[in-house]
Amino acid sequence: MTPNIFEKTNTDQIINRINQLTPSTQAKWGKMNVAQMLAHCNVTYEMVYENKHKAPGAFVKLILKAFVKKTVVNEVPYKKNSSTAPAFLIADERNFLNEKERLINYLIKTQQLGASHFEGKESVSFGILNSKEWNNMFYKHLDHHLQQFGV
């Protein structure tokens, strides 16, 4: 069972793992450096809290809901080197401390809003999700990338 990201204890554990990262932490797999990985993880929260990313068109959203949603919101961990959506590709250099601070702030905000805030909330990509689906999406994405960087 996926840990509940809406519970402070679990959020604190994720934040503690993030705090173990340094600008020189090396990935065990993949192409991103640690600052890019943090920026990549921030995209999930930007899609929830910011109006920075263009929503997919109706056809693309239909495809995402039909073929990608289950993989993203179920409890099965992601495989190494899985493909990602274009909005999540981070190719430019990022500031480690800024991205780290942003991610921690998003995690605290999400935990404080709680599961009830996310129950029936619409995802930009996948439509209406229940709080368990939001939890799985948030937690397993973070866990995947923190494992990628050995924390």
Side-chain angles (χ1 to χ4, degrees), residues 8 11 44 46 49-51 64 67 72 96 126 131 144:
K8 187 174 183 335
T11 299
T44 300
E46 291 169 356
Y49 300 120
E50 317 289 334
N51 194 15
L64 290 171
F67 299 105
V72 172
F96 172 82
F126 305 119
S131 61
H144 172 79

Side-chain angles (χ1 to χ4, degrees), residues 39-132:
H40 167 88
C41 289
N42 278 324
V43 173
T44 300
Y45 298 95
E46 291 169 356
M47 288 183 167
V48 173
Y49 300 120
E50 317 289 334
N51 194 15
K52 286 178 85 164
H53 301 279
K54 185 179 174 203
F59 179 73
V60 172
K61 193 168 184 175
L62 182 69
I63 298 299
L64 290 171
K65 285 171 74 173
F67 299 105
V68 179
K69 177 182 174 182
K70 181 181 175 190
T71 303
V72 172
V73 303
N74 69 21
E75 293 192 1
V76 178
Y78 294 131
K79 294 178 179 145
K80 292 178 184 177
N81 295 312
S82 300
S83 59
T84 193
F88 287 83
L89 296 173
I90 308 295
D92 58 329
E93 287 303 312
R94 298 298 177 100
N95 181 289
F96 172 82
L97 292 176
N98 289 350
E99 297 300 337
K100 177 180 162 182
E101 180 181 8
R102 289 177 61 226
L103 184 56
I104 290 171
N105 288 337
Y106 282 136
L107 284 163
I108 292 168
K109 180 177 183 172
T110 301
Q111 186 275 315
Q112 289 175 342
L113 286 170
S116 62
H117 176 80
F118 289 90
E119 188 62 44
K121 183 172 176 62
E122 185 163 1
S123 158
V124 170
S125 302
F126 305 119
I128 302 293
L129 301 178
N130 63 42
S131 61
K132 183 176 181 181

